[in-house]
Amino acid sequence: MKKPKISVIGAGYVGLCTAVGFASKGYNVVACDVDEEKIAKINKGVPPFHEPGLQEKLSESIQKGNLKGVVGQTDQVIQETDLTFIAVGTPSKSDGSIDLKYIESAVINIGKALSQKDAYHVTIIKSTVVPGTTQNIVKSKLEKESKKKCGTDFGLCINPEFLRQGSAFEDTLNADRVVIGSYDKRSGDTLERLYKAFYSFHMPLIIRTTLSTAELIKYASNAMLATKISFINTIANICEKIPGADVKVVAKAMGLDKRIGPLFLDAGLGYGGSCFPKDIKALIVCSKSLGYDPELLDSVEAVNKTQPLKAVDFCKEQLGCLEGKKIAILGLAFKPDTDDMREARVIPIINQLLKEGAHVVAYDPVAMPIAKTIFLSKIQFATSALRCIKDADGCIVVTEWDEFKKLTPEDFTKNMRHPILIDGRRIYNPEIFGTKLQFTALGLGKK
Ligand code: UGA
């Protein structure tokens, strides 16, 4: 059977991984983005952001002619393709609700193009949108602009993504589940057929449901994961008050209970990134607007807000006043294997250290170019982890990059002025590090 042609609007990590995923399996894909520089890179086979595994498949797809990047979203792209995924951003507004301007502009353009198209076309929302958006805003705009009827003349689905940055391409090829919310049966069947052919023998479980249930599945999943993190951080904070207690052991034992599971129980300095903070806020605002106050989610957010500042408190406990002290920061990205610094926990940490008069030196294997645009000349950047800790009075591990895990107690004692180490991500063995330097680990009760 002939493969359908696909267009993807928005070439961020979700859109581009989706586009390259389909292109790598022989589909003809057009990736559209308003950012000319990004499209120029894509057409040269160079990913515009750091995402493991993407480079090879992107350049291969461009070379084979399966993928092309297009600036903007031309009518022609909609005319020439059968399905369009919308994967544009839905950033937070100041009140925490989501800004739909990019979705609306993409939908208006698609609607206009559909008014000129006779063949059946399905629009699929991949962006994260609050329940009701696809039905109330996307559908009505598509109908208004195309002067056609959804469900009869064209199709509409919502297909939330569950990709993690740093393994987004891998997650695209090996999903846990595919959620398809559809306006009508034909739209859903068309998308289900596409995924069945794409995944072939490795087809994950498909959940077919309504538009609003699919929209909520995405928020509920992220809210559950964020809740697990704030929960284990709460347990970590309790552990610190109990001599001999260790959150790592508590989490390991809890995780063996099949009803709880071992993942997302790593205590640390809290969650960051472009998804959890934004999605929790949006779900709270959405729920309140519907007349229900989700107190649990307010607490999840509150724990996450104070958690990073504990690193600064630990520093003060060890060093007293931080004025003029050199503090080394290992890790800037919101998690390892990405250069993304959106809502990175290091931002409130560094801001607080600067406020206390500390002199901050930071190192990250890939996020420094982005960090330089955030902190400008307010902090210094080192070219390696060892140079970063050189002559430091204290060191905080903020992101658990593999290369930091390889550092030994001697690396710290030999290089630092005062070997004070704060392990904010629990990467070091307290039995070893605790005896050789002044070591504070999150979620570890004092002896
Ligand atoms: C998250 C979800 O995991 C994806 O399923 C979802 O598709 C994505 O959001 C999205 O909505 O687009 P991501 O933001 O890439 O993915 O990162 P995660 O791996 O989930 O980590 C988020 C934050 O939680 C990081 O700051 C990480 O350090 C922190 N975290 C994670 C912990 O503090 N402890 C843990 O046990 C796990």
Side-chain angles (χ1 to χ4, degrees):
M1 212 172 70
K2 217 171 131 230
K3 283 188 159 89
K5 291 185 177 165
I6 296 166
S7 41
V8 181
I9 298 170
Y13 84 101
V14 172
L16 190 58
C17 287
T18 304
V20 176
F22 281 112
S24 70
K25 294 211 178 176
Y27 288 82
N28 206 304
V29 185
V30 185
C32 310
D33 202 289
V34 287
D35 186 335
E36 287 181 28
E37 212 179 307
K38 202 183 252 183
I39 292 296
K41 279 189 169 173
I42 290 171
N43 282 329
K44 281 186 198 140
V46 179
F49 44 80
H50 179 79
E51 195 59 61
L54 189 61
Q55 162 81 70
E56 193 196 329
K57 292 291 175 194
L58 170 62
S59 62
E60 198 181 288
S61 302
I62 294 285
Q63 269 167 25
K64 284 188 178 162
N66 292 342
L67 177 68
K68 73 169 177 201
V70 165
V71 179
Q73 175 204 322
T74 58
D75 273 5
Q76 208 185 334
V77 167
I78 305 299
Q79 304 301 338
E80 285 175 0
T81 58
D82 305 298
L83 300 103
T84 302
F85 287 91
I86 299 183
V88 295
T90 50
S92 281
K93 288 206 251 183
S94 56
D95 65 354
S97 64
I98 53 169
D99 191 339
L100 291 174
K101 66 180 175 215
Y102 303 118
I103 293 261
E104 287 179 358
S105 129
V107 168
I108 288 171
N109 288 336
I110 295 174
K112 284 184 178 145
L114 289 180
S115 71
Q116 309 295 321
K117 184 171 179 177
D118 294 328
Y120 182 71
H121 191 102
V122 185
T123 300
I124 304 128
I125 307 292
K126 253 204 180 295
S127 307
T128 302
V129 292
V130 295
T133 309
T134 309
Q135 172 76 30
N136 301 331
I137 296 172
V138 176
K139 177 192 156 260
S140 44
K141 285 206 183 311
L142 284 174
E143 287 187 330
K144 184 171 169 233
E145 299 299 331
S146 65
K147 300 183 186 63
K148 291 184 172 174
K149 219 164 157 24
C150 185
T152 320
D153 304 321
F154 62 85
L156 178 62
C157 292
I158 167 120
N159 169 221
E161 55 78 24
F162 304 100
L163 317 177
R164 295 159 299 170
Q165 272 175 266
S167 52
F169 190 60
E170 167 71 23
D171 290 348
T172 305
L173 302 179
N174 303 297
D176 288 341
R177 77 285 210 196
V178 170
V179 174
I180 299 177
S182 60
Y183 178 75
D184 62 303
K185 187 169 177 313
R186 185 179 176 196
S187 311
D189 287 351
T190 309
L191 187 56
E192 182 168 341
R193 259 197 313 278
L194 175 73
Y195 276 121
K196 279 194 168 144
F198 175 75
Y199 286 112
S200 178
F201 297 115
H202 305 286
M203 185 63 213
L205 206 75
I206 293 196
I207 304 286
R208 290 279 299 264
T209 185
T210 61
L211 295 173
S212 49
T213 302
E215 287 166 327
L216 188 56
I217 288 170
K218 167 68 189 205
Y219 280 99
S221 302
N222 275 1
M224 180 66 210
L225 295 171
T227 303
K228 272 187 114 174
I229 297 169
S230 279
F231 174 84
I232 201 65
N233 285 340
T234 300
I235 299 297
N237 299 343
I238 297 172
C239 281
E240 282 161 21
K241 306 282 177 207
I242 305 170
D246 184 349
V247 72
K248 270 201 105 152
V249 185
V250 176
K252 187 176 175 189
M254 278 173 64
L256 292 171
D257 185 326
K258 288 191 186 66
R259 295 166 302 173
I260 298 172
L263 304 177
F264 274 71
L265 285 180
D266 291 328
L269 296 168
Y271 59 80
S274 63
C275 307
F276 288 172
K278 168 178 86 78
D279 292 351
I280 306 306
K281 274 194 184 69
L283 185 56
I284 292 172
V285 172
C286 170
S287 176
K288 283 186 179 162
S289 76
L290 295 168
Y292 175 68
D293 189 359
E295 288 170 76
L296 174 68
L297 301 180
D298 283 333
S299 301
V300 168
E301 255 202 328
V303 171
N304 201 53
K305 200 167 173 207
T306 48
Q307 196 66 8
L309 298 176
K310 288 181 53 110
V312 182
D313 292 342
F314 284 148
C315 260
K316 287 205 288 195
E317 269 169 34
Q318 298 289 334
L319 282 162
C321 171
L322 296 181
E323 182 77 43
K325 300 277 167 35
K326 180 176 170 180
I327 307 297
I329 297 286
L330 293 181
L332 294 158
F334 84 95
K335 67 174 192 178
D337 292 322
T338 175
D339 59 356
D340 199 327
M341 284 202 57
R342 283 175 285 178
E343 298 279 342
R345 299 296 79 197
V346 80
I347 298 171
I349 294 174
I350 291 184
N351 285 341
Q352 187 59 29
L353 287 170
L354 293 174
K355 217 164 147 188
E356 308 262 350
H359 167 58
V360 177
V361 187
Y363 169 73
D364 186 284
V366 300
M368 287 199 293
I370 292 178
K372 283 177 186 167
T373 66
I374 297 174
F375 297 110
L376 308 170
S377 58
K378 287 189 240 162
I379 68 170
Q380 273 190 309
F381 293 92
T383 50
S384 71
L386 290 183
R387 286 204 180 96
C388 183
I389 60 174
K390 187 89 194 138
D391 297 329
D393 296 295
C395 170
I396 306 173
V397 176
V398 183
T399 317
E400 64 277 34
W401 284 96
D402 276 348
E403 72 170 82
F404 303 153
K405 293 180 186 167
K406 292 179 193 141
L407 295 173
T408 62
E410 290 68 34
D411 287 326
F412 291 97
T413 48
K414 277 188 195 150
N415 284 291
M416 293 176 73
R417 187 176 312 147
H418 298 114
I420 292 173
L421 175 61
I422 316 280
D423 183 357
R425 292 288 177 185
R426 296 304 308 267
I427 61 173
Y428 299 120
N429 183 347
E431 307 272 318
I432 301 169
F433 280 70
T435 52
K436 300 198 171 161
L437 34 93
Q438 264 174 275
F439 180 73
T440 309
L442 205 128
L444 192 66
K446 310 253 178 326
K447 287 238 167 77

